[in-house]
Amino acid sequence: VQLQASGGGLVQAGGSLRLSCSASGRSFSAYTVGWFRQAPGKEREFVAAIRQSGEPRFYADSVKGRFTISRDNRKNTGYLQMDSLKPEDTAVYYCAAQAGADVTLPNYGYWGQGTQVTVSS
């Protein structure tokens, strides 16, 4: 499956962005979709994941209550709604897909190219 992340940009602290992850190729609905982010000089970290059917959903503690992951299997697209953004959310955000069980580790088989999110204070 090929993934394309989009929707990043520059936003002020407290603002919102919605990232999209468009998939093509093999059946999107067969995969767990995850979002990861990587800030300069830091390791790639888990943000959120959603199972094939839409439940359950998983969130990193740092984004819980502010970010919402969702998917539309009819449109082969995953989403990450990011609200109450903070400067520490600044990073390149990647979407990924996998058929495995562990959703928090960056060992997904398929990755998008990343989209930059910058939150100004």
Side-chain angles (χ1 to χ4, degrees), residues 16 67 82:
S16 298
F67 290 11
M82 305 186 296

Side-chain angles (χ1 to χ4, degrees), residues 33-57:
V33 173
W35 288 93
F36 289 76
R37 66 187 182 187
Q38 189 165 18
K42 295 187 177 181
E43 293 186 351
R44 191 168 297 188
E45 64 174 358
F46 170 76
V47 176
I50 184 169
R51 290 294 192 194
Q52 291 87 331
S53 65
E55 294 292 345
R57 311 182 195 198

